Amino acid sequence: MIQAVVADGSQKHITDRVFQLWVNDLQDLAYYIDDVLDDVDTKALRRKLNNDAHASTNIGNVLKFFPKCCTNFSPLNVLYGQQMSSKLQEITNKLHDLVDQKNDLGLTVNVERTSIKAAWPVLKT
């Protein structure tokens, strides 16, 4: 959908600075989202490695009698959850702002153009 909106801007020959700033803000947000997802993935991998390490110790033998929700509780996990919640709220707010700006620029989702382009076969040379 993002590509369709950018295609609409190109089709309307919107080359002014405001459109370029909007595209830059959109790209910055995409990079930020990617960073947040990488952070979540790293945290999940770290948690798995820690769980695997605990499973082979005496602590792991004791912890297996507790529900999993109780063994992962720590102030750091709560803090991380709050940080992630804050980041997700920030992403949501920025997305709403970008949609409002898109509407102010008069951009629409140009689905026809992107679907036609995707339907064309790729010629190999």
Side-chain angles (χ1 to χ4, degrees):
M1 290 182 73
I2 291 170
Q3 290 174 344
V5 172
V6 172
D8 182 54
S10 298
Q11 188 177 29
K12 291 178 180 176
H13 303 291
I14 299 177
T15 58
D16 63 3
R17 183 82 175 128
V18 175
F19 177 68
Q20 293 302 321
L21 290 172
W22 181 82
V23 170
N24 290 344
D25 288 345
L26 185 62
Q27 187 175 28
D28 289 345
L29 182 59
Y31 288 138
Y32 182 69
I33 291 169
D34 191 49
D35 290 344
V36 170
L37 291 174
D38 284 345
D39 186 36
V40 169
D41 191 40
T42 300
K43 180 74 171 178
L45 181 60
R46 187 175 292 134
R47 183 175 288 169
K48 182 182 180 328
L49 291 173
N50 285 339
N51 287 343
D52 290 349
H54 283 290
S56 63
T57 65
N58 289 335
I59 294 173
N61 291 333
V62 172
L63 291 177
K64 70 181 177 185
F65 293 109
F66 292 97
K68 202 162 183 99
C69 64
C70 299
T71 59
N72 287 331
F73 177 78
S74 77
L76 290 177
N77 286 341
V78 172
L79 179 62
Y80 181 77
Q82 290 172 341
Q83 290 171 341
M84 284 282 88
S85 177
S86 175
K87 288 179 181 183
L88 292 175
Q89 187 61 49
E90 181 182 356
I91 289 169
T92 301
N93 292 340
K94 286 182 180 181
L95 279 172
H96 284 292
D97 290 345
L98 286 170
V99 168
D100 290 342
Q101 291 171 10
K102 173 193 76 78
N103 294 336
D104 291 344
L105 288 169
L107 299 171
T108 59
V109 178
N110 189 350
V111 177
E112 296 85 22
R113 182 170 184 218
T114 57
S115 62
I116 291 171
K117 186 177 179 181
W120 282 89
V122 177
L123 299 176
K124 295 181 181 177
T125 55

